[in-house]
Amino acid sequence: MAINGRKDRMREPYTVHTFGYASRTIDRLDSEVNRLSAVIVDVRIQPYDRIDHDFDRPALQARYGSKYVWMREFGNKHSKTNGATDFVNLDLGARRLGAIVADGTSVIFLCSCKSHDGCHRAELANLFNDQLGWKVSHLPQDDAVPLIESLFAE
């Protein structure tokens, strides 16, 4: 699969971040968005959650406004069957993403999987790494405060 489009608009070097929200809070996503001054790029094929409605598209749009974009193009057609990743329309998604990152804006690929291992968001980020040289940063997999930090907290 090739990412077609103008490489000059897909600024190098660049870091794409990934965030899986299973077992995380919306507050954790808030902190990452604020820390990185990032736009959330929702890469789920269906932007809804059966359990945590804070991560439904209407709630995310209301909370983040223009800092939230759903890109169905980056959704995995086989998300329900656990088959091999098949993106809806990688080329169109790449063009849309290029418009967002052209000015250096950070993005966070959002999906529901807890771990990036075996998740299509990591495959997507790795495609941009392989083809455009982007760095990939998988944001922490849980909200737990590391033990060593908690020992010194006041």
Side-chain angles (χ1 to χ4, degrees), residues 30-104:
D30 285 348
S31 68
E32 297 293 356
V33 168
N34 291 330
R35 180 177 68 85
L36 298 166
S37 298
V39 169
I40 300 163
V41 175
D42 190 338
V43 299
R44 299 173 292 171
I45 197 161
Q46 295 294 328
Y48 298 96
D49 191 280
R50 291 176 294 166
I51 298 167
D52 190 343
H53 298 293
D54 284 340
F55 290 97
D56 287 350
R57 181 180 179 195
L60 291 166
Q61 286 176 315
R63 188 176 195 104
Y64 296 107
S66 63
K67 288 189 149 269
Y68 170 80
V69 178
W70 174 44
M71 287 197 182
R72 184 177 191 278
E73 300 88 342
F74 288 153
N76 179 8
K77 294 179 194 175
H78 299 151
S79 63
K80 299 291 183 206
T81 63
N82 293 324
T85 299
D86 185 11
F87 295 104
V88 171
N89 189 333
L90 187 61
D91 290 339
L92 178 58
R95 286 193 298 276
R96 286 186 64 201
L97 184 64
I100 295 170
V101 304
D103 65 356

Side-chain angles (χ1 to χ4, degrees), residues 15-41:
T15 300
V16 61
H17 306 276
T18 75
F19 186 98
Y21 65 80
S23 77
R24 291 192 181 157
T25 66
I26 194 72
D27 292 335
R28 178 59 185 266
L29 181 58
D30 285 348
S31 68
E32 297 293 356
V33 168
N34 291 330
R35 180 177 68 85
L36 298 166
S37 298
V39 169
I40 300 163
V41 175

Side-chain angles (χ1 to χ4, degrees), residues 18 20 113-123 138-139 141:
T18 75
C113 299
K114 181 177 181 176
S115 173
H116 64 273
D117 292 327
C119 177
H120 87 287
R121 77 175 185 271
E123 289 184 48
H138 302 293
L139 299 174
Q141 294 185 14

